[in-house]
Amino acid sequence: MASLLFRRRLRPTSIASSILLRDNAELSGLPLELKFGISFGICSCFRQFSSSGGAKKFDFTDLTRPHTWYPIARRKKRKIFLHVGPTNSGKTHQALKQLETSSSGIYCGPLRLLAWEVSKRLNKANIPCNLITGQEREEVDGAKHKAVTVEMADVMTDYDCAVVDEIQMLGCRTRGFSFTRALLGISANELHLCGDPAAVPLIEEILKVTGDDVKVQHYERLSPLIPLKVPLGSFSNIRTGDCIVTFSRQEIYRLKKEIEAGKKHLCSVVYGSLPPETRTRQATRFNDAESEFDVLVASDAIGMGLNLNISRIIFSKLEKFDGLETRELTVPEIKQIAGRAGRYGSEFPVGEVTCLDAEDLPLLHSSLDSPSPMLERAGLFPNFDLLFMYSRLHPKHSLYQILEHFVENAKLSAHYFITNCEEMLKVAAVIDELPLNLDDKYLFCMSPVDMKDCISSQGLTQFAHNYSERGIVRLREIFTPGTLKVPKTHTALKELESIHKVLDLYVWLSFRLEDSFPDRELASSQKSICSLLIEEFLERLGWQKPKSRKLLRRSTSSSLLSEDMRHCLSA
Ligand SMILES: Nc1ncnc2c1ncn2[C@@H]1O[C@H](COP(=O)(O)OP(=O)(O)OP(=O)(O)O)[C@@H](O)[C@H]1O
Ligand SMILES: [Mg+2]
């Protein structure tokens, strides 16, 4: 690996090195109440505990009343609108219309791409809107609105209107707690929740104790989606506007190569570990009717977030490896992905869906005909306040032990489950070896590190180590600017994706430990270079249509890299 120099490797523990994967999640923020210290609801529990003198009896692992953690929201009787229906039915559009007419508001989405899109939409409509994600702060003069990733949802401010998109993700096994926190904690006169009808009974149950007013609005698909009776069969039947869905990075590149070998189509690619800005640019290129890249090969990363002009979805398989095992796709997964075909208002207003092989068609058809199973429980995770107070009683416990204790002993009501924190435990196991305060350790545990990616996890380890040793982390200590190159092999491509993750992590930390991570600008510019080099690689992978002037022009100027970028690279 050319560009990252990891000086000292800390000993990975067995947990740290075990292969447990996190969902395609974008854990991009810390609860904002952390910035303000202990939140009121928990403070009052603590007072109760202190004055009664029953220190040993007070049970911080009692999480049966999470709605009391958010006293600001509890002061309001919120009007809650549940916009539910299939994909492409106008749920988000309707909720955003309400946000646009409000005097102040917040949009919370599951992905940075969605937050970007909403802030762009509001600013274009002359409604100043800030963009806040784990790795971005774009502030607009006079803004009373903000678009954020759900982990950055602010539960300390009063809003006129709030939107939480893809609310069914409160059932997600790793990120569910952030959606639950937004649901219970956002203080707004109107709260609009958009998502799958399968979340309705659970949300109604959860909200029985908050005193809010709940209304459900059902939506129908705006454009038809036709399940085809015939499979694709052969790649010679691929046509413009098709999107092939497969579930491994290796398969994505294999299929791209196979389709392009027919010399009729060029493929854009979208998958989870591509930098978000690269995903957006690949999608834009596919959407552009003038572009030569008229077919998309993608993973389930297209299920949410990108506006795609897809005519037909073709599942190459209906099973995927989910980190633990290879399993069939669930009904909601199949519907969410299939629903991307035929976007309302696009050049393909009628969507079609099929499979590569005939043997998969019965499962596809039956899944599309079935309702999604109702969600039964929402994710919950103790916030920092609870962990902190528990640690005061057990000062010798490491963060790993504290987290483990909560996971094993948490008491929950029937509507909740503790979200999976294997990834946090893996970080805690490494971080606990360093002389850091609990809040610093917690911060590193909440960071968007990908512990299954060796380069990303080593980056985190090195950052934490340097931070604990010197209090300041200069990017150049582990990264040498000027060494990034257009990858020539798939291994080099993967390495560049990982380097992007490390730089992204640096930027994330720089927003939370500003004085200790002072090189945000350098990290951001190197991140941009990484994504452009990745795109350059993707561009070079494609074949060139004979007599295609457009493509020739592109390849003789041959590069997506601007002069500035070239200069940076050779600096
Ligand atoms: N009333 C409308 N007028 C014009 N365009 C609309 C309207 N409703 C929805 N759209 C457009 O249709 C598309 C789908 O709408 P939207 O994204 O709101 O659907 P959704 O139900 O939230 O779908 P998803 O499951 O993808 O989140 C968007 O491009 C949106 O801008
Ligand atoms: Mg939507």
Side-chain angles (χ1 to χ4, degrees):
M1 188 185 46
S3 308
L4 289 177
L5 319 163
F6 296 108
R7 298 251 155 79
R8 197 186 119 187
R9 264 186 95 154
L10 294 181
R11 180 172 57 84
T13 66
S14 56
I15 295 265
S17 54
S18 71
I19 311 161
L20 285 159
L21 306 187
R22 184 155 69 180
D23 285 355
N24 177 23
E26 227 176 343
L27 261 188
S28 50
L30 262 190
L32 285 186
E33 61 265 33
L34 263 184
K35 288 193 172 168
F36 300 87
I38 294 167
S39 63
F40 306 111
I42 294 174
C43 264
S44 61
C45 298
F46 195 56
R47 274 198 296 276
Q48 186 191 338
F49 140 71
S50 311
S51 59
S52 69
K56 283 191 185 132
K57 285 194 185 136
F58 191 87
D59 185 2
F60 289 116
T61 56
D62 181 351
L63 310 182
T64 52
R65 292 163 50 79
H67 63 287
T68 62
W69 301 356
Y70 307 102
I72 301 178
R74 291 298 76 75
R75 287 204 292 256
K76 273 186 192 259
K77 186 175 171 73
R78 303 176 300 175
K79 278 194 187 148
I80 298 193
F81 297 89
L82 265 156
H83 304 269
V84 295
T87 52
N88 208 355
S89 56
K91 308 178 292 287
T92 307
H93 182 81
Q94 197 55 37
L96 290 179
K97 270 172 58 183
Q98 300 306 314
L99 187 68
E100 284 168 0
T101 55
S102 65
S103 55
S104 65
I106 181 167
Y107 166 88
C108 310
L111 298 172
R112 284 153 82 181
L113 297 174
L114 285 168
W116 292 355
E117 215 167 77
V118 170
S119 75
K120 218 164 47 182
R121 169 173 164 160
L122 264 66
N123 284 311
K124 205 167 155 197
N126 286 326
I127 302 158
C129 179
N130 294 336
L131 171 70
I132 301 177
T133 73
Q135 293 86 336
E136 287 114 338
R137 302 278 190 285
E138 280 175 23
E139 304 206 339
V140 180
D141 279 349
K144 295 211 164 45
H145 291 78
K146 51 176 96 153
V148 309
T149 36
V150 69
E151 282 80 11
M152 302 301 288
D154 169 9
V155 295
M156 306 298 285
T157 306
D158 256 328
Y159 294 100
D160 184 26
C161 179
V163 176
V164 182
D165 212 354
E166 307 290 351
I167 188 65
Q168 73 283 352
M169 283 188 71
L170 89 176
C172 170
R173 91 192 146 90
T174 50
R175 294 179 73 200
F177 72 99
S178 299
F179 288 82
T180 306
R181 175 175 165 275
L183 170 68
L184 294 173
I186 290 181
S187 174
N189 299 330
E190 280 188 11
L191 174 59
H192 295 265
L193 309 170
C194 310
D196 195 299
V200 172
L202 174 64
I203 292 172
E204 286 177 328
E205 270 309 311
I206 286 177
L207 294 178
K208 272 186 185 160
V209 290
T210 61
D212 297 316
D213 202 27
V214 185
K215 279 203 176 67
V216 184
Q217 293 178 5
H218 288 273
Y219 290 69
E220 296 297 329
R221 234 184 110 88
L222 294 165
S223 56
L225 177 66
I226 302 171
L228 300 178
K229 293 197 173 73
V230 282
L232 182 76
S234 150
F235 287 113
S236 58
N237 298 326
I238 286 279
R239 53 179 201 232
T240 296
D242 276 347
C243 169
I244 308 257
V245 178
T246 190
F247 298 96
S248 81
R249 204 174 160 287
Q250 218 179 351
E251 271 295 286
I252 286 175
Y253 284 106
R254 193 184 68 76
L255 294 178
K256 173 176 163 68
K257 199 169 161 194
E258 194 161 340
I259 294 166
E260 291 181 346
K263 305 266 174 195
K264 284 196 202 138
H265 304 280
L266 283 169
C267 304
S268 288
V269 295
V270 168
Y271 54 91
S273 62
L274 275 184
E277 56 274 27
T278 304
R279 270 183 266 166
T280 306
R281 284 194 285 262
Q282 288 286 304
T284 308
R285 196 167 63 162
F286 167 71
N287 283 344
D288 179 0
E290 301 281 297
S291 155
E292 313 263 353
F293 291 78
D294 59 341
V295 168
L296 185 64
V297 186
S299 73
D300 44 351
I302 55 152
M304 266 187 304
L306 289 166
N307 253 315
L308 294 162
N309 296 342
I310 296 171
S311 150
R312 180 170 61 166
I313 289 277
I314 300 147
F315 286 93
S316 83
K317 285 189 184 125
L318 287 177
E319 56 183 32
K320 72 169 195 176
F321 179 69
D322 68 0
L324 296 173
E325 55 178 354
T326 299
R327 59 160 178 86
E328 268 177 9
L329 298 182
T330 62
V331 168
E333 283 169 343
I334 291 178
K335 287 174 140 182
Q336 179 101 24
I337 297 167
R340 312 308 296 174
R343 192 153 190 93
Y344 177 69
S346 79
E347 64 185 294
F348 301 112
V350 177
E352 294 176 332
V353 53
T354 188
C355 298
L356 184 56
D357 300 319
E359 63 185 28
D360 286 332
L361 282 176
L363 178 60
L364 173 70
H365 286 227
S366 65
S367 302
L368 293 173
D369 282 343
S370 315
S372 299
M374 290 296 157
L375 286 183
E376 288 175 4
R377 291 181 300 152
L380 202 61
F381 202 74
N383 59 16
F384 179 73
D385 303 340
L386 283 166
L387 300 178
F388 175 74
M389 284 186 283
Y390 176 83
S391 80
R392 298 268 296 263
L393 294 179
H394 303 90
K396 296 233 166 80
H397 279 198
S398 64
L399 179 56
Y400 186 97
Q401 287 169 317
I402 295 171
L403 289 171
E404 203 177 34
H405 178 84
F406 268 87
V407 171
E408 284 169 7
N409 298 294
K411 284 143 205 88
L412 302 162
S413 80
H415 310 309
Y416 296 100
F417 66 95
I418 283 272
T419 37
N420 181 306
C421 67
E422 288 297 340
E423 199 78 355
M424 282 174 83
L425 285 170
K426 282 192 246 173
V427 181
V430 174
I431 298 297
D432 273 332
E433 296 186 14
L434 302 171
L436 289 170
N437 294 333
L438 190 73
D439 53 348
D440 283 335
K441 287 183 181 177
Y442 184 75
L443 182 86
F444 281 104
C445 281
M446 296 296 281
S447 70
V449 61
D450 179 356
M451 290 299 276
K452 67 183 183 292
D453 178 317
C454 175
I455 294 176
S456 171
S457 71
Q458 284 189 41
L460 175 115
T461 307
Q462 189 76 57
F463 290 151
H465 178 258
N466 291 7
Y467 174 67
S468 72
E469 206 166 60
R470 294 196 286 281
I472 185 155
V473 184
R474 304 310 306 241
L475 189 61
R476 284 173 196 272
E477 287 167 8
I478 71 154
F479 175 83
T480 314
T483 53
L484 296 172
K485 292 193 182 70
V486 179
K488 293 209 170 70
T489 62
H490 282 274
T491 312
L493 171 67
K494 199 154 187 276
E495 191 175 291
L496 201 52
E497 289 168 12
S498 302
I499 292 171
H500 185 275
K501 286 183 196 167
V502 176
L503 294 166
D504 207 43
L505 176 63
Y506 188 97
V507 172
W508 189 94
L509 289 163
S510 78
F511 277 114
R512 287 146 186 89
L513 300 166
E514 209 144 1
D515 295 340
S516 299
F517 289 81
D519 298 322
R520 185 189 306 148
E521 235 169 81
L522 177 63
S524 299
S525 67
Q526 295 297 310
K527 253 176 65 177
S528 308
I529 292 173
C530 272
S531 40
L532 285 168
L533 293 172
I534 290 171
E535 286 157 49
E536 185 87 2
F537 171 85
L538 295 175
E539 184 104 347
R540 288 183 190 177
L541 262 191
W543 57 277
Q544 291 180 18
K545 278 191 182 176
K547 294 189 204 129
S548 165
R549 264 188 284 145
K550 196 172 182 182
L551 203 68
L552 279 175
R553 226 182 13 248
R554 235 193 328 221
S555 52
T556 44
S557 66
S558 178
S559 180
L560 295 155
L561 302 180
S562 67
E563 275 309 306
D564 283 353
M565 289 294 184
R566 287 175 188 289
H567 181 71
C568 281
L569 278 171
S570 55

